[in-house]
Amino acid sequence: MEHILLSAQHLSKRYGSGPSNDLVLHDIDLDIYEGDFTVIMGSSGSGKSTLLHCLSGMDSASSGRVRFESQDLATLSENNLAHVRSASFGFVFQQANLVSNLTIAENIAVAGYVCPGSIPDTVNQRVEDLLYDLSIDHIADHLPSQVSGGELQRAAIARALINRPALLFADEPTGALNRRNSTHILNLLTDLSRRSQSILMVTHDAHAALRATRLIYLDDGTIKDELFLPPYHARDIIAREYLVNNWLLEHEW
């Protein structure tokens, strides 16, 4: 039986109050399974990023609950929620958001140092390993302004992985990259998934969605459908594109 890593029950999110309130998410039930590469798709304004933010504790739901392992995120103190997010979650966004006056290695290390219970020597070794694994060891001493967009995003992924997160959240991680760099990032995420890293990614890019083992379609704040896929292999790309594109067309993508 698959292990449920994160679970949302009757999750709703409103912005504003009174007659002008905006219902962005409506009564969502969703389980995220350990080891899956889950991708949430939907048109602009469908609530994709809002759902990711509520599932990760970056934003609070208006009603319903989110449980990570045995913990209800809504019942945690700010300090305990921050600990969960630091120790158990990793975050990658469309923009790398690295600190401009720190080197690439320092940007990665800082996220490890602030995790409660971290040991500096262990963090430093982990930084070295990630720099090598993500093929950015040659820019370790560079500032963010001195590297390419693709290298910046690989550094952001290294930073997200520094504490060995149980779940990696990715919000449009290839949205600001050209096709070549996008493919590099998607290859990296696919490789992480093959090594059993649990990933939850939001994207509007059908090409990126091909890497999923599970696709979820969000429409007007409600989950409309899901599609399960075998692990990604480039040799199966034509059949995979056909399956995913037809599924998206069914939802008037």
Side-chain angles (χ1 to χ4, degrees), residues 99-104 106 139-147 152:
V99 180
S100 61
N101 62 344
L102 297 180
T103 67
I104 296 301
E106 289 168 343
I139 60 166
D141 296 327
H142 289 52
L143 295 173
S145 61
Q146 299 171 319
V147 305
L152 278 177

Side-chain angles (χ1 to χ4, degrees), residues 101-224:
N101 62 344
L102 297 180
T103 67
I104 296 301
E106 289 168 343
N107 266 283
I108 298 167
V110 163
Y113 295 150
V114 300
C115 184
S118 65
I119 301 171
D121 286 347
T122 301
V123 172
N124 294 338
Q125 183 60 57
R126 175 72 171 154
V127 171
E128 289 186 19
D129 293 343
L130 286 167
L131 286 166
Y132 178 80
D133 288 346
L134 275 62
S135 300
I136 51 174
D137 48 317
H138 63 290
I139 60 166
D141 296 327
H142 289 52
L143 295 173
S145 61
Q146 299 171 319
V147 305
S148 70
E151 289 169 334
L152 278 177
Q153 199 64 316
R154 276 184 276 165
I157 293 174
R159 180 183 58 186
L161 295 173
I162 187 66
N163 295 320
R164 304 183 187 275
L167 182 57
L168 179 66
F169 292 90
D171 192 354
E172 301 283 8
T174 62
L177 302 176
N178 60 30
R179 179 50 64 93
R180 177 174 174 273
N181 281 322
S182 293
T183 299
H184 286 165
I185 295 302
L186 292 172
N187 287 342
L188 172 59
L189 292 174
T190 301
D191 184 56
L192 289 170
S193 175
R194 287 176 180 146
R195 288 188 270 165
S196 300
Q197 173 65 57
S198 306
I199 302 171
L200 176 58
M201 181 172 80
V202 161
T203 187
H204 67 280
D205 183 355
H207 179 71
L210 295 174
R211 305 307 181 102
T213 57
R214 181 189 184 197
L215 277 169
I216 294 170
Y217 195 85
L218 196 68
D219 182 37
D220 199 22
T222 302
I223 293 176
K224 295 297 185 182

Side-chain angles (χ1 to χ4, degrees), residues 58 80 142:
M58 287 190 290
N80 286 339
H142 289 52

Side-chain angles (χ1 to χ4, degrees), residues 54-65:
C54 288
L55 291 174
S56 65
M58 287 190 290
D59 198 0
S60 57
S62 300
S63 60
R65 64 171 55 186

Side-chain angles (χ1 to χ4, degrees), residues 43 217 219 245-253:
S43 59
Y217 195 85
D219 182 37
N245 288 337
N246 280 348
W247 182 75
L248 290 172
L249 285 172
E250 290 176 7
H251 297 288
E252 302 181 349
W253 178 257

